[in-house]
Amino acid sequence: MWQNIEAAPADSILGLTDAFRSDPNPQKVNLGVGVYKDEAGRTPILNCVKAAEKLLLERESTKSYLPISGDPLYAAEVQKLLFGEAGEVIASGRAATAHAPGGTGALRVGGDLLKKFYPNAKVWISKPTWANHKGVFKTAGFELAEYGYYNPTTRAVDFEAVVASLESVPAGDIVLLHACCHNPSGVDLSRDQWQKVAAIGAAKGWIPFLDFAYQGFGEGVAEDRFGIEAFAATGVDFFIASSFSKNFGLYNERTGALTIVSPTAKDAAVAMSHLKTTIRVIYSNPPAHGGLVVATILSTPELHAQWLEELAAMRDRIKAMRVALVEGLAARNVKGDFSSIITQRGMFSFSGLSDEVVQWLRANKSIYVVGGGRINLAGLTQANIGYVCDAIAEAMNS
Ligand code: LMR
């Protein structure tokens, strides 16, 4: 069967982790995949997760199927995270939430659902975007188009390009936006800009699809939902893909959610019926554990408070490593202006390293960076930052 078929290329992000694992160099550093690491270089299980798992072990009485859309308590708690407890969207009952296997699963369920009703739509992705966005929506059968987003010269959002592109998107096309902590660039829209983008969406009639994989890694859980609030205020239909891989550290539990916001509760009920038929033919119903952990944490006041603290600690450590990296490069007189790394948000930074330097770092220093120069700041620790800065200095100054 496979004799005349070429092997597929390794995944640009997860494939890097495979290469990292098999690298024997004891000094190797993985700045590739977006996984949080603590100061000791470990990806810990959060204490609130351990405590919730203990409660679940005592309380759980069945392993029977969950409903197609997942546990209702999970959906209710996810909506509180997205809209705030007192959010108008919740009071109006105009959102439908289904537990999906991770953020990727949520994107794909949303893609398959949209394809049924908008078969000729294009999906507009930011330039640049997370590599897997392309694969997910292409595989769901969509043609892709790009909207301008990042300006490599100013290392900031090119808002004129955003506006010009999004004003040209026809009604019924789908626009994929990063709700916060843009992956890979780390540069986000300001509040003012979100409001303008939401107004353009409402006026033009395109369908916003917000990828929300890093809630809490920017400024905070409530602060980071500004883009969601801006679209909710317009009353349009829109989609949100949530991931709890990063903010709850539940990477291997595949815990995410797809939320469809509609103008009315009646519309939301119809949306939910189609969410269910879409999910039923892909994975039937979701795996329970991660969703139960998240629901338990969010609905137990002490655990909720503990989670917010642990999340803040992750966010603060990443911010500290941003400063340490910029200072480390400046101390070594590395050519170039890296100051924007400090103001970028979330786990990633567009470092400004060329693909040539990225390849050199991997081949000579066993430092793994995603093509395009995206660095996962959480991969840096006090123990390896000197090595990384020395290596970048050697690559760039020679
Ligand atoms: C990343 O961008 O590194 C993460 O979202 C992990 C992934 O699945 O690519």
Side-chain angles (χ1 to χ4, degrees), residues 13-14 32-34 130 183 214 246 348 374:
I13 296 174
L14 300 184
V33 67
W130 179 48
N183 178 4
Y214 294 88
K246 332 279 172 171
F348 305 119
R374 187 194 83 171

Side-chain angles (χ1 to χ4, degrees), residues 242-307:
S242 303
S243 165
F244 302 116
S245 297
K246 332 279 172 171
N247 49 13
F248 284 83
L250 287 171
Y251 305 90
N252 68 10
E253 299 292 354
R254 309 311 297 137
T255 311
L258 179 66
T259 297
I260 304 180
V261 186
S262 308
T264 67
K266 199 164 155 253
D267 293 342
V270 178
M272 179 52 100
S273 72
H274 287 288
L275 251 175
K276 287 184 187 166
T277 56
T278 307
I279 289 169
R280 175 67 170 139
V281 296
I282 313 179
Y283 53 87
S284 189
N285 47 73
H289 187 69
L292 292 175
V293 168
V294 168
T296 303
I297 293 171
L298 294 177
S299 62
T300 310
E302 313 81 71
L303 295 184
H304 195 139
Q306 190 180 14
W307 171 61

Side-chain angles (χ1 to χ4, degrees), residues 63-124:
K63 294 284 184 191
S64 182
Y65 292 124
L66 285 181
I68 296 175
S69 54
D71 180 38
L73 176 64
Y74 174 73
E77 292 297 338
V78 169
Q79 291 196 1
K80 286 188 211 163
L81 276 188
L82 292 177
F83 309 111
E85 285 212 28
E88 170 279 319
V89 172
I90 295 180
S92 314
R94 61 187 187 93
T97 297
H99 178 163
T104 305
L107 290 164
R108 181 59 198 269
V109 168
D112 281 3
L113 193 160
L114 284 162
K115 187 70 188 170
K116 284 189 207 163
F117 303 109
Y118 295 87
N120 301 319
K122 275 191 190 153
V123 173
W124 292 72

Side-chain angles (χ1 to χ4, degrees), residues 120-145:
N120 301 319
K122 275 191 190 153
V123 173
W124 292 72
I125 53 175
S126 63
K127 189 173 181 215
T129 195
W130 179 48
N132 212 27
H133 278 155
K134 296 180 190 165
V136 165
F137 287 96
K138 261 198 210 161
T139 310
F142 288 104
E143 201 183 308
L144 303 179

Side-chain angles (χ1 to χ4, degrees), residues 345-359:
R345 289 146 46 107
M347 226 177 233
F348 305 119
S349 171
F350 244 5
S351 57
L353 299 179
S354 66
D355 281 344
E356 209 185 343
V357 170
V358 167
Q359 273 159 25

